[in-house]
Amino acid sequence: MSDAPKKLHIKTYGCQMNVYDSERMAEAMGVQGYTLTDDPAEADMVLLNTCHIREKAAEKVYSDLGRLRPFKEAKPGLTIGVAGCVAQAEGAEIMRRMPLVDLVVGSQNYHRLPEMVAAVGRGERPVDTEFPAEDKFERLPERPVQARPTAFLTVQEGCDKFCAFCVVPYTRGAEISRPVARILTEAEKLVAKGVREITLLGQNVNGYHGDGPDGSWGLGRLVRALARIDGLDRIRYTTSHPNDMAEDLIAAHGDEPKLMPYLHLPVQSGSDPILKAMNRKHTAEDYLRLVERLRAARPDLVLSSDFIVGFPGETEADHQASLDLIRAVGFGAAFSFKYSPRPGTPAASRTPVAAEVADARLQELQALITAQQKATQLSMVGRKVGVLFEKPGRLPGQWVGKSDYLHAVHVTAEGIGPGTLAQVRITASAPNSLAGEVL
Ligand code: 5AD
Ligand code: SF4
């Protein structure tokens, strides 16, 4: 460890798994004496933790790297690293295209960052994107005291589903579940360090099948075991595939009060021919029946989803079928994306939908979702909901937290701090948050 404090700037793109990975990278470099900075100008090391899911996200990395050039010129000792899924997919190409990059580290290798930075110090340009034999989680430093009452915990990585549009099975590899005991230990430690809400992460999290003390456990059983940890108040998980929603997990939504009533369950499309072309292996009807079973278990469950518009071959009728599905479900929120061809995926070679058609469909679909989101928020007004407070708001005396249903909630009240879990009466709905009063 060097004595002069060094500064690390991390920019995170994409999903919550990357947010988690960035935190763990910061902790690994923290042991080497690096503290975090929001300002790349004062950094000794800049890490871009990248996303490859859509073309725009991947291309942004190259333009952001270009923007780092003046910082590198001003401070030649600045170490620039690329991590995450673009690193995984195009490691060598990044090095060719961007001479200012000093290291490229894949998603399974970042426990080796300190060694790689040392190699950069010796004038090397290391690229480490192999899927290693060792488990990075076992090599990373223990998690420090948590600044926030909420934390992510990776339980599963990779995806075996091979949806025809998606790079994840290639960038994140085959599904691997962490053993039950290690997850329980990590959760207990997080709780001991002040965490009250844990979001279990996995690219296909409900496909979790980890080694337990008596054979393989599914996610439902894992959730129930986590719920027994005293001091842990809330459990969430993301992201799920409809076909892996096991009976026991659905039941847990009904009888495990710590499992929060919000579920992100991507469907991608409401048209059966498109779902088939996407290799989703379920129909729109299957999804609707699943939503019924979930709501039978937990009537107030708020659902969110992901949609892709303009998938190759999508007709106006297919698009209308997606709108029908959205109307039938009533989502609390949803993300929608214009289809983006990804190199190496089966759909990339198919004939695309005209851009202006896809744009118009995206707008129409987003307008419907926005209306549903607004309706869901309005339905909260007058209700009493649990809120876990995280941080002070912008106004004096104001605090911001998340409701059980994952809405941001603002209150102005005394005696609240990070980690306060309170019952709040919702009094108003703003575009992206709710206001309430503590009961
Ligand atoms: N084009 C557009 N959207 C995509 N997604 C994944 N791959 C693509 C792609 N090639 C979306 C899916 C997924 C979310 C994380 O990103 O909706 O659920
Ligand atoms: Fe990608 Fe999700 Fe399909 Fe896996 S299940 S291939 S991560 S969209």
Side-chain angles (χ1 to χ4, degrees):
M1 194 190 294
S2 82
D3 9 28
K6 291 195 163 183
K7 297 254 162 114
L8 169 64
H9 173 77
I10 304 187
K11 178 163 179 182
T12 308
Y13 308 67
C15 66
Q16 285 154 323
M17 185 73 85
N18 269 10
V19 174
Y20 173 90
D21 289 341
S22 290
E23 283 172 12
R24 304 286 325 239
M25 286 191 251
E27 291 163 13
M29 293 313 294
V31 174
Q32 308 295 312
Y34 283 78
T35 57
L36 283 177
T37 173
D38 288 337
D39 181 5
E42 66 168 30
D44 301 284
M45 175 169 173
V46 174
L47 262 180
L48 303 186
N49 191 14
T50 61
C51 174
H52 203 245
I53 197 94
R54 284 169 293 273
E55 193 181 357
K56 256 192 203 151
E59 275 308 312
K60 182 135 201 336
V61 173
Y62 288 101
S63 59
D64 283 353
L65 282 171
R67 228 166 283 142
L68 287 173
R69 200 164 286 129
F71 297 112
K72 183 100 176 181
E73 279 159 8
K75 192 192 268 184
L78 173 66
T79 304
I80 296 180
V82 181
C85 293
V86 178
Q88 197 68 53
E90 333 188 325
E93 199 195 329
I94 296 171
M95 283 303 199
R96 260 199 311 276
R97 255 175 91 172
M98 290 288 166
L100 87 175
V101 173
D102 299 295
L103 69 90
V104 170
V105 63
S107 313
Q108 293 306 330
N109 316 73
Y110 59 76
H111 55 292
R112 298 191 190 144
L113 258 180
E115 300 159 38
M116 295 176 75
V117 172
V120 172
R122 297 190 299 270
E124 297 170 27
R125 288 179 85 210
V127 177
D128 193 350
T129 54
E130 298 293 306
F131 289 105
E134 79 256 20
D135 176 353
K136 68 171 179 266
F137 297 109
E138 291 305 295
R139 313 250 162 169
L140 286 164
E142 248 196 44
R143 310 222 56 187
V145 171
Q146 298 291 300
R148 287 183 304 271
T150 59
F152 292 127
L153 200 174
T154 296
V155 302
Q156 179 278 334
E157 289 184 279
C159 184
D160 296 342
K161 291 277 189 271
F162 291 92
C163 297
F165 50 81
C166 186
V167 286
V168 167
Y170 312 96
T171 54
R172 289 280 179 165
E175 286 183 21
I176 294 176
S177 295
R178 295 178 66 197
V180 169
R182 290 192 189 148
I183 294 167
L184 293 178
T185 306
E186 189 173 332
E188 278 160 7
K189 286 183 179 163
L190 285 169
V191 171
K193 283 165 179 160
V195 167
R196 301 192 68 180
E197 170 179 314
I198 290 179
T199 301
L200 307 176
L201 292 183
Q203 270 86 28
N204 185 26
V205 72
N206 63 343
Y208 176 81
H209 52 276
D211 288 338
D214 52 2
S216 178
W217 284 28
L219 190 66
R221 206 161 162 203
L222 182 68
V223 164
R224 290 176 196 278
L226 286 163
R228 285 203 287 277
I229 299 176
D230 283 334
L232 178 62
D233 297 317
R234 292 170 143 193
I235 300 166
R236 306 180 189 275
Y237 60 91
T238 200
T239 290
S240 296
H241 190 288
N243 290 1
D244 287 330
M245 211 67 220
E247 200 55 55
D248 173 42
L249 182 59
I250 297 175
H253 278 280
D255 58 29
E256 184 41 74
K258 290 186 181 181
L259 185 57
M260 289 292 103
Y262 178 98
L263 179 62
H264 184 59
L265 193 60
V267 62
Q268 315 296 355
S269 168
S271 150
D272 289 344
I274 294 299
L275 287 168
K276 192 161 197 316
M278 286 176 163
N279 193 33
R280 291 288 292 180
K281 299 195 169 79
H282 62 77
T283 63
E285 186 65 20
D286 294 336
Y287 187 84
L288 295 174
R289 292 291 83 80
L290 176 58
V291 167
E292 265 174 21
R293 285 161 64 210
L294 282 159
R295 284 185 171 151
R298 181 81 204 219
D300 60 340
L301 186 74
V302 169
L303 283 151
S304 76
S305 199
D306 290 340
F307 290 89
I308 294 177
V309 303
F311 186 78
E314 187 188 67
T315 63
E316 184 55 29
D318 296 321
H319 171 59
Q320 290 301 325
S322 290
L323 300 178
D324 288 343
L325 180 137
I326 295 170
R327 288 188 201 102
V329 173
F331 289 101
F335 301 96
S336 47
F337 312 99
K338 196 160 79 162
Y339 170 69
S340 163
R342 307 307 294 126
T345 60
S349 56
R350 302 181 195 164
T351 312
V353 166
E356 56 285 6
V357 174
D359 285 330
R361 288 179 187 165
L362 186 63
Q363 276 198 14
E364 193 182 5
L365 193 143
Q366 279 177 345
L368 180 56
I369 284 164
T370 305
Q372 292 196 341
Q373 180 173 336
K374 203 170 160 191
T376 305
Q377 285 191 202
L378 276 173
S379 76
M380 297 286 156
V381 175
R383 281 174 65 182
K384 199 178 88 175
V385 299
V387 175
L388 178 64
F389 288 97
E390 292 176 20
K391 56 183 187 215
R394 260 177 281 155
L395 305 176
Q398 192 186 50
W399 278 84
V400 192
K402 289 277 165 59
S403 79
D404 298 342
Y405 306 97
L406 212 56
H407 290 120
V409 178
H410 292 79
V411 302
T412 302
E414 308 264 288
I416 290 180
T420 305
L421 184 59
Q423 289 295 308
V424 170
R425 168 114 29 227
I426 302 300
T427 53
S429 171
N432 285 307
S433 65
L434 301 171
E437 49 199 33
V438 175
L439 295 172

